[in-house]
Structures are given as structure tokens and as C-alpha cells.
Amino acid sequence: MSTTLSSSEAGAAPMTPRAAATLIVLCGAIFLEGIDVAMLNIALPAIRADLNLTTTTLSGVVSAYVLGYAGFMLLGGRAADIFGKRRVFLCALAVFIAFSGLGGLATEGWMLLLARFVTGAASAFMTPAGLALVATNFPEGPQRNRAVTIYASTASAGFSLGLVLGGLLAAIDWRWVFFAPVILALLIFVAAIRLIADRPSRATRERFDIPGAVTLTAAMLLAVHGVTRLEHPDQNLAWTLGIFGVSAALWLAFFLIERLSAAPLVRFSIFRSGSLVRSNLGALLFAGSFFGFQFIATLYLQELLGWTPIETSIAMLVIGIDAVVAPILTPRLVDRFGNDRVIFAGFVLAAISYALLLGMELDWTYAAIFPSMLLLGLAFSIAYSPLTIAATDGIHEDEQGLAGGLVNTAFQFGAALGLSGASAIGAYVLGEATSAEARLLALQTALIVPVAAAVAGALITAMGIRRCRDLSCDQVMPS
């Protein structure tokens, strides 16, 4: 990445060397989060074999991270606004380093579960703080749009590269899947101390809403836990419904607490921004469609076509084209057509990509799958970054952390919902059948989840385009 990161074609002045270096550090942190998630997913079979984990515990290793991430995301975003974005970012990065290292040293399943839960919680504080630092270190307009585009593209590139690195490191020793992020995180931590600056916030004079924070975190944890239980049809349905019921009660309690609090964790006036609301719904649907698709595609390629994990990773690597295309193409498209129209195009491409796989067969070659992978990479290129931009555009600096926490919560919760929905539908259709034809039908039926999510996202975005023809929907009411 150039130290000037000139974006003259996107209408922005070149960044100063220090600003560019700061962006590189922040991009390094979100890249770290992306590869951490992807590498672990590829290494799961090796971890199971070495630690002799049950299927439930192995699934819990993934779910624990999601629980920690989604459960603490809004709390992390508000903490960044109140205690300082730089301070929260550095503290969360330090915790990430410590517990990722613990994961690499794990000798029992409970150690791995603890390490992943706390690592997810640390990411929940680090990610919104990092996005808020990007938003507050670059002026609103083309330069910030370009910075956020690069930042979001780096996250996607980290996930794509992690799919390949996870297979390579797991082939050596699965513990390197944990130790490699520790080494990268240490380098980022040292650079962040020297480079990252944060402007004082008026929010630092506020009290921290402890009752709201505890209630919200518990509600989020139970909601995500309930969603992850849907992946396993053998789970007690009454318990799952009970978990959702308690979560709903806590959400209601949180709403009442915030209405009465003098210093609420979430100021509901932030939802007066139509852009923020649409971007959060879009983020939930976009992530849900992609993670549902990835789950289906992985089972199809490995269990039905007989591909190895490395072959599967390389096949999906084309999705990472957004790391190259997005910084070049997306700012131009956003400047010319606006966020909503670009996001709409991304959803349409994603829907076509998923729909093309509805006709998958047991004798398909990669040539038949490649168009879907390429279209999905293009969809990421033009939708992911504008969704992130729209979530923070026009939001006051003192609530940038909250806005970042909201959109990242939407991404994470959408991922859990899409994965669980696809898994539950596939398992229901498959039933007790074991033939290849039955499994293929189950996967084809499960593809309805990503297709429906992408279509719904396109419709929501289209309504925003229609409403914004005569109104400035990105304008935010004062909090």
C-alpha cells in the first residue's frame, strides 16, 4: 500500500504519510480479525483429531467466538465513545493477543472454548473502535469513503487469505493457526502505540450505563446462543424457545432502561438516520446470505465432489477479488451513483450468484462453479464497503463507535442467522437419508436461505433508493 494512497480519481486529496500509516495499522487489525476466523474454520478437523473433541465441543469452538463477538459488540462500540477509541482499541488488541496465545497452548476442550469466547469479546471491542478511528481520522466525503473502502476490503481479503493459510498452517500444526495471529497482532500493537491518535470526546464526561450494558449483553448472548442451537436439530426445542423467550424479555428490559437512563448506552435517536437503518438491515442480510452459502458450498465441494480442504479454499479464493477491485472501483461508483444504488447492484449480483448454484449436480466441475464465485467476489467488491460507509456517514463523532458497533453486530448476527438457517433447513430436508442424491437435494433446498436473503436485501435497498430521490436520507437528526 502506497504511503500517499492517492485517490484523485475518486475526488479526494492524497493522504499524508502519517494518515496512510495509521490506516495501514488499522487495516492490519481488521485483517487480523478476518484471517483469525477463516483459519480456524479450516483447521477444525485437525483440532478435533488432536484433542479428541466431540462434535458438540467442536461446533462450540466456532459458536463461542460468535457469542463473544456479537454479545459484546454494542458494548464495545459505546465503550470506545466513552473511554476513548484509541484506549479501547489497544486494550482489546492486548486481550486478543493473550487469549489467542492461550488457544494455541490448549490441551483440553474447555481451554479452547474459553480462548475463543474471550477472543471474540476482544474483537467486539477492537472492531468498532477501529472503524470509529478510521471515521474520525479522515474527513467525511471522498477521502473517508476511500479509507473505509480500503479498510472493509482488507477485512474481506483477510478472510479470503485465511481460508488458504488455515489449510497450510493446519498441515504443519494446527496450533500455528493461533500463534500466527499473535505474531501479527504484536507487530500491530507496537505500531498502533506510535501512530494512532484520538481526539478528545465529549462522551468521556458521561457515566457508563452499567444496567443497560449488562442487560444488552445478556440479551445478545442469549439471542446468538439460540440461533447457534438451530444448527443442531437434535437440540431440545423447548430449551431453544425458552432461550429466545428470555432474550426477548431482556431486550424489552433494555429498551425500558435506555428510555429512563440519563446516559443511555444506545441513544435511540441514532436510528433516525435512514441510511444507518438500511445499512444495518443490509449488513445482516448480506452476511447471512454469504455465510449460509459458504456452509453449503463447503459441504458440496468436500462431501459430494470429494475435494480436499486446500482445493476448497483455493476454489473460494476468487471471492477475494474484492481486495483488488473494491479500492479502485467502489469509490468511483459511490461518488457517481451513491451508496444505495451501489449496494443494490451488489445484492443483485449476490442473488444471481447463489441462484446459479440451485442447479448443481454430482458431476459438476469447477468450470460450472466458477461463475458463482466470481459474481460473489464482485458483489463483495461493490456492496460490502458502501454498507460500512452508510452505517457511519453523517453520524456525530461521539457516536461513531456506537454506529460501528451496530453495523458489525448486524454483520455478525446475520452470519450466525444465515449459517444456522441453512444448516437447519438442510438437516430437516435430509432427515435420515444418507444417499448422495438426498444430500444434494438437502443442499439445493438450503440454498433458498442465501437466495432469499439477497433478494430481501435488494428490495430493502430499492425502497431506500426510491425514498431518497427527493430527500437526503443520509442526513442525521441531532442526538
Side-chain angles (χ1 to χ4, degrees), residues 439-466:
R439 286 185 290 166
L440 178 64
L441 177 62
L443 294 180
Q444 289 172 327
T445 307
L447 268 171
I448 294 173
V449 172
V451 171
V455 170
L459 291 175
I460 290 173
T461 308
M463 287 189 291
I465 294 172
R466 183 176 181 181

Short mmCIF file of all heavy atoms in Angstrom, two decimals, residues 439-466:
data_model
loop_
_atom_site.label_atom_id
_atom_site.label_comp_id
_atom_site.label_asym_id
_atom_site.label_seq_id
_atom_site.Cartn_x
_atom_site.Cartn_y
_atom_site.Cartn_z
N ARG A 439 -28.49 -35.97 -0.12
CA ARG A 439 -27.67 -34.87 0.42
C ARG A 439 -27.62 -33.70 -0.55
O ARG A 439 -27.62 -32.54 -0.15
CB ARG A 439 -26.27 -35.37 0.74
CG ARG A 439 -26.21 -36.25 1.99
CD ARG A 439 -24.79 -36.62 2.35
NE ARG A 439 -24.23 -37.56 1.39
CZ ARG A 439 -22.93 -37.85 1.31
NH1 ARG A 439 -22.06 -37.23 2.10
NH2 ARG A 439 -22.51 -38.74 0.45
N LEU A 440 -27.57 -34.01 -1.85
CA LEU A 440 -27.57 -32.95 -2.86
C LEU A 440 -28.88 -32.16 -2.80
O LEU A 440 -28.88 -30.92 -2.84
CB LEU A 440 -27.38 -33.54 -4.25
CG LEU A 440 -27.41 -32.54 -5.42
CD1 LEU A 440 -26.23 -31.56 -5.31
CD2 LEU A 440 -27.37 -33.27 -6.76
N LEU A 441 -30.02 -32.87 -2.69
CA LEU A 441 -31.31 -32.20 -2.59
C LEU A 441 -31.38 -31.32 -1.35
O LEU A 441 -31.92 -30.20 -1.40
CB LEU A 441 -32.44 -33.24 -2.56
CG LEU A 441 -33.86 -32.67 -2.39
CD1 LEU A 441 -34.22 -31.75 -3.55
CD2 LEU A 441 -34.88 -33.81 -2.25
N ALA A 442 -30.82 -31.80 -0.23
CA ALA A 442 -30.82 -31.02 1.01
C ALA A 442 -30.03 -29.72 0.83
O ALA A 442 -30.46 -28.64 1.27
CB ALA A 442 -30.23 -31.85 2.15
N LEU A 443 -28.88 -29.80 0.17
CA LEU A 443 -28.07 -28.60 -0.05
C LEU A 443 -28.74 -27.64 -1.02
O LEU A 443 -28.69 -26.42 -0.84
CB LEU A 443 -26.68 -29.00 -0.56
CG LEU A 443 -25.80 -29.78 0.42
CD1 LEU A 443 -24.46 -30.11 -0.24
CD2 LEU A 443 -25.58 -29.00 1.70
N GLN A 444 -29.37 -28.18 -2.06
CA GLN A 444 -30.08 -27.32 -3.01
C GLN A 444 -31.22 -26.58 -2.31
O GLN A 444 -31.45 -25.40 -2.57
CB GLN A 444 -30.63 -28.17 -4.16
CG GLN A 444 -29.57 -28.69 -5.12
CD GLN A 444 -30.13 -29.68 -6.12
OE1 GLN A 444 -31.06 -30.43 -5.81
NE2 GLN A 444 -29.58 -29.69 -7.32
N THR A 445 -31.94 -27.29 -1.44
CA THR A 445 -33.04 -26.64 -0.70
C THR A 445 -32.51 -25.59 0.26
O THR A 445 -33.09 -24.51 0.40
CB THR A 445 -33.85 -27.70 0.08
OG1 THR A 445 -34.26 -28.74 -0.80
CG2 THR A 445 -35.07 -27.07 0.73
N ALA A 446 -31.38 -25.88 0.93
CA ALA A 446 -30.79 -24.92 1.86
C ALA A 446 -30.34 -23.64 1.16
O ALA A 446 -30.28 -22.58 1.78
CB ALA A 446 -29.61 -25.57 2.58
N LEU A 447 -30.05 -23.74 -0.15
CA LEU A 447 -29.65 -22.55 -0.90
C LEU A 447 -30.74 -21.50 -0.96
O LEU A 447 -30.49 -20.33 -1.29
CB LEU A 447 -29.25 -22.94 -2.33
CG LEU A 447 -27.76 -23.25 -2.56
CD1 LEU A 447 -27.57 -23.83 -3.95
CD2 LEU A 447 -26.91 -22.00 -2.37
N ILE A 448 -31.98 -21.89 -0.64
CA ILE A 448 -33.08 -20.91 -0.60
C ILE A 448 -32.77 -19.81 0.39
O ILE A 448 -33.16 -18.65 0.19
CB ILE A 448 -34.40 -21.63 -0.25
CG1 ILE A 448 -34.80 -22.58 -1.37
CG2 ILE A 448 -35.52 -20.62 0.01
CD1 ILE A 448 -36.00 -23.45 -1.04
N VAL A 449 -32.06 -20.13 1.48
CA VAL A 449 -31.75 -19.14 2.51
C VAL A 449 -30.89 -18.01 1.95
O VAL A 449 -31.27 -16.83 2.05
CB VAL A 449 -31.08 -19.80 3.74
CG1 VAL A 449 -30.57 -18.74 4.72
CG2 VAL A 449 -32.06 -20.72 4.43
N PRO A 450 -29.71 -18.28 1.36
CA PRO A 450 -28.93 -17.17 0.81
C PRO A 450 -29.61 -16.45 -0.34
O PRO A 450 -29.50 -15.21 -0.45
CB PRO A 450 -27.62 -17.83 0.36
CG PRO A 450 -27.89 -19.29 0.30
CD PRO A 450 -28.96 -19.55 1.30
N VAL A 451 -30.36 -17.18 -1.19
CA VAL A 451 -31.06 -16.52 -2.29
C VAL A 451 -32.11 -15.55 -1.74
O VAL A 451 -32.20 -14.39 -2.16
CB VAL A 451 -31.72 -17.56 -3.23
CG1 VAL A 451 -32.62 -16.85 -4.24
CG2 VAL A 451 -30.66 -18.37 -3.96
N ALA A 452 -32.91 -16.02 -0.79
CA ALA A 452 -33.97 -15.18 -0.21
C ALA A 452 -33.39 -13.98 0.52
O ALA A 452 -33.93 -12.87 0.43
CB ALA A 452 -34.83 -16.02 0.74
N ALA A 453 -32.29 -14.18 1.24
CA ALA A 453 -31.66 -13.07 1.98
C ALA A 453 -31.15 -12.00 1.01
O ALA A 453 -31.32 -10.80 1.25
CB ALA A 453 -30.53 -13.59 2.85
N ALA A 454 -30.52 -12.42 -0.09
CA ALA A 454 -30.00 -11.47 -1.06
C ALA A 454 -31.13 -10.70 -1.75
O ALA A 454 -31.05 -9.48 -1.95
CB ALA A 454 -29.14 -12.18 -2.10
N VAL A 455 -32.21 -11.39 -2.08
CA VAL A 455 -33.36 -10.72 -2.70
C VAL A 455 -33.99 -9.73 -1.73
O VAL A 455 -34.34 -8.60 -2.11
CB VAL A 455 -34.40 -11.77 -3.17
CG1 VAL A 455 -35.71 -11.09 -3.59
CG2 VAL A 455 -33.84 -12.59 -4.32
N ALA A 456 -34.13 -10.12 -0.46
CA ALA A 456 -34.69 -9.22 0.54
C ALA A 456 -33.82 -7.98 0.70
O ALA A 456 -34.32 -6.85 0.83
CB ALA A 456 -34.83 -9.95 1.88
N GLY A 457 -32.49 -8.17 0.71
CA GLY A 457 -31.59 -7.03 0.80
C GLY A 457 -31.74 -6.09 -0.37
O GLY A 457 -31.72 -4.85 -0.21
N ALA A 458 -31.90 -6.64 -1.58
CA ALA A 458 -32.10 -5.82 -2.76
C ALA A 458 -33.39 -5.01 -2.66
O ALA A 458 -33.43 -3.82 -3.02
CB ALA A 458 -32.10 -6.69 -4.02
N LEU A 459 -34.47 -5.63 -2.17
CA LEU A 459 -35.75 -4.94 -2.05
C LEU A 459 -35.69 -3.81 -1.03
O LEU A 459 -36.21 -2.71 -1.27
CB LEU A 459 -36.85 -5.94 -1.65
CG LEU A 459 -37.23 -6.98 -2.72
CD1 LEU A 459 -38.22 -7.99 -2.15
CD2 LEU A 459 -37.79 -6.30 -3.96
N ILE A 460 -35.05 -4.05 0.11
CA ILE A 460 -34.92 -3.01 1.14
C ILE A 460 -34.11 -1.83 0.60
O ILE A 460 -34.46 -0.66 0.80
CB ILE A 460 -34.26 -3.58 2.40
CG1 ILE A 460 -35.22 -4.53 3.11
CG2 ILE A 460 -33.81 -2.47 3.35
CD1 ILE A 460 -34.60 -5.28 4.27
N THR A 461 -33.02 -2.15 -0.12
CA THR A 461 -32.19 -1.09 -0.68
C THR A 461 -32.95 -0.32 -1.76
O THR A 461 -32.83 0.91 -1.87
CB THR A 461 -30.90 -1.67 -1.27
OG1 THR A 461 -30.27 -2.49 -0.28
CG2 THR A 461 -29.94 -0.56 -1.67
N ALA A 462 -33.75 -1.03 -2.56
CA ALA A 462 -34.53 -0.38 -3.61
C ALA A 462 -35.53 0.62 -3.02
O ALA A 462 -35.74 1.71 -3.58
CB ALA A 462 -35.25 -1.43 -4.45
N MET A 463 -36.13 0.26 -1.88
CA MET A 463 -37.05 1.19 -1.22
C MET A 463 -36.32 2.44 -0.76
O MET A 463 -36.85 3.55 -0.81
CB MET A 463 -37.73 0.49 -0.04
CG MET A 463 -38.77 -0.54 -0.45
SD MET A 463 -39.76 -1.17 0.93
CE MET A 463 -38.53 -2.13 1.82
N GLY A 464 -35.06 2.25 -0.31
CA GLY A 464 -34.27 3.40 0.09
C GLY A 464 -33.95 4.30 -1.09
O GLY A 464 -33.97 5.53 -0.98
N ILE A 465 -33.66 3.71 -2.25
CA ILE A 465 -33.37 4.49 -3.45
C ILE A 465 -34.59 5.32 -3.84
O ILE A 465 -34.48 6.50 -4.16
CB ILE A 465 -32.96 3.56 -4.62
CG1 ILE A 465 -31.62 2.87 -4.30
CG2 ILE A 465 -32.87 4.35 -5.92
CD1 ILE A 465 -31.25 1.81 -5.31
N ARG A 466 -35.76 4.69 -3.78
CA ARG A 466 -36.99 5.39 -4.15
C ARG A 466 -37.27 6.54 -3.21
O ARG A 466 -37.65 7.63 -3.64
CB ARG A 466 -38.15 4.40 -4.14
CG ARG A 466 -39.46 5.01 -4.58
CD ARG A 466 -40.55 3.95 -4.63
NE ARG A 466 -41.81 4.52 -5.07
CZ ARG A 466 -42.94 3.83 -5.19
NH1 ARG A 466 -42.94 2.54 -4.92
NH2 ARG A 466 -44.05 4.42 -5.59
#
